[in-house]
Amino acid sequence: MISEYIKSLKGKKIAFIGVGVSNMPIIRAFSKAGLTLSVRDVKDTSKGDYGEELKNLGVEIISGEDYLKGINEDIL
């Protein structure tokens, strides 16, 4: 069932609001499935606990005061 859901997301841009222990497992799973992902967080997550991993997973990091501006993802 979960694999069907993930397949239904192919071709969509997906954003996560905030990064942390609760979002990382799904970010990893979605990345492994080849989905286009971004993380939006007021904190500079590129330098945080998960920054290097997010970069290695190919996740776009959008951070800072304007982290919610220009939202163009299909799913938040």
Side-chain angles (χ1 to χ4, degrees), residues 10-63:
K10 291 278 185 186
K12 298 192 184 307
K13 293 188 232 175
I14 302 162
F16 291 86
I17 306 297
V19 67
V21 70
S22 60
N23 277 341
M24 284 306 295
I26 192 110
I27 290 171
R28 290 179 188 117
F30 281 11
S31 174
K32 185 177 179 180
L35 299 177
T36 302
L37 306 176
S38 60
V39 169
R40 294 174 170 271
D41 200 314
V42 70
K43 296 179 289 180
D44 185 0
T45 56
S46 67
K47 298 176 183 167
D49 294 335
Y50 301 108
E52 196 63 34
E53 182 178 3
L54 290 169
K55 289 176 193 175
N56 290 337
L57 292 173
V59 177
E60 179 183 9
I61 299 170
I62 303 161
S63 60

